Amino acid sequence: MKSYLFFKTLLGMIFLPIIMKLNKNIIMEGKVRVKSFPYIHLKNNSKLHLGNNVMLNSSNYGYHINMYKGVKIFADGINSEIHIGTNTRIHGSCIHAQSKITIGENCLIAANCNIIDSNGHLTSMDSPENRIDTIDFPQNIIIEDNVWIGASCIILKGVTIGNGSVIAAGSVVKSSIPPNVIAGGNPAKVLKSNSKNVQNEKRLK
């Protein structure tokens, strides 16, 4: 099993960057590190922008926790966009955009996360029997630079996560998180802030 995983990882590292360069809807600003085979599906003229030295890791080989599935990048809105910044690492997680998802530079996204800019359906509480036929309206997601998202988090539509923040494993982020804090829970709330940064922000006001 180990030799199979190693071989699959090696094939992805060698061939996937070449295949990705040939796709006109994937814009690469430099080299991209790929471990094993991610699922990338871009519909309706959607675009994927990858900064230099981005890592897409879909392999359990050598990874420190169990990864249930590989990286999934799915953009299916009209002209929807996914931007992933320089030096960002994504491990076995799903990014699904119907509008626009922006992930900054130097971000760490651990395994089994879901980052989705739409709920899929309207709640339709007044007529739940019609819910199955409804389509939800997407709202952009922004994950700023230097953010660390722990394993098995869910990031929902309309959210901004500020520069330098950490999202604890297993959290559900349904409202925006300020910069330089540790947040966690369901729904995610600020658990700890960087007091120095808070003091500096107060002085600037």
Side-chain angles (χ1 to χ4, degrees):
M1 178 60 77
K2 284 186 178 180
S3 59
Y4 167 76
L5 288 173
F6 175 76
F7 183 66
K8 188 177 177 183
T9 300
L10 187 63
L11 280 178
M13 291 171 67
I14 294 170
F15 292 110
L16 255 295
I18 298 171
I19 295 170
M20 288 165 69
K21 281 184 179 180
L22 298 175
N23 188 327
K24 64 182 178 61
N25 291 331
I26 300 177
I27 297 93
M28 298 169 61
E29 297 176 7
K31 69 175 183 179
V32 174
R33 294 184 291 159
V34 177
K35 293 186 177 181
S36 196
F37 292 87
Y39 171 85
I40 299 175
H41 191 178
L42 306 172
K43 298 174 63 177
N44 304 318
N45 201 39
S46 295
K47 298 289 193 296
L48 171 62
H49 299 256
L50 297 169
N52 185 44
N53 202 38
V54 165
M55 175 193 282
L56 304 176
N57 177 26
S58 299
S59 175
N60 262 313
Y61 186 83
Y63 190 62
H64 66 292
I65 62 171
N66 192 35
M67 186 186 300
Y68 302 135
K69 288 284 186 179
V71 171
K72 177 179 178 179
I73 296 177
F74 183 33
D76 61 341
I78 305 286
N79 299 315
S80 54
E81 299 178 35
I82 296 174
H83 294 253
I84 302 173
T86 296
N87 294 327
T88 286
R89 303 179 197 170
I90 299 174
H91 303 276
S93 290
C94 172
I95 302 169
H96 177 201
Q98 288 192 340
S99 179
K100 185 176 181 180
I101 295 175
T102 302
I103 300 172
E105 299 183 357
N106 305 311
C107 291
L108 299 168
I109 299 177
N112 312 318
C113 292
N114 286 282
I115 301 171
I116 45 178
D117 69 356
S118 170
N119 295 335
H121 299 280
L122 298 172
T123 54
S124 299
M125 298 307 295
D126 55 339
S127 56
E129 68 278 4
N130 297 320
R131 182 181 296 146
I132 194 169
D133 296 317
T134 65
I135 298 174
D136 182 47
F137 301 102
Q139 296 178 29
N140 295 351
I141 292 174
I142 300 172
I143 299 171
E144 295 182 350
D145 297 343
N146 310 305
V147 169
W148 179 12
I149 298 177
S152 302
C153 288
I154 300 174
I155 313 299
L156 297 175
K157 69 177 189 176
V159 161
T160 295
I161 301 176
N163 190 318
S165 285
V166 177
I167 308 300
S171 298
V172 178
V173 182
K174 59 183 293 187
S175 58
S176 293
I177 302 297
N180 297 300
V181 301
I182 297 175
N186 182 7
K189 297 179 180 178
V190 174
L191 304 175
K192 185 178 181 181
S193 63
N194 185 330
S195 58
K196 289 182 180 179
N197 286 318
V198 170
Q199 289 170 5
N200 289 335
E201 286 176 7
K202 286 180 178 178
R203 290 193 194 104
L204 291 171
K205 289 180 180 179

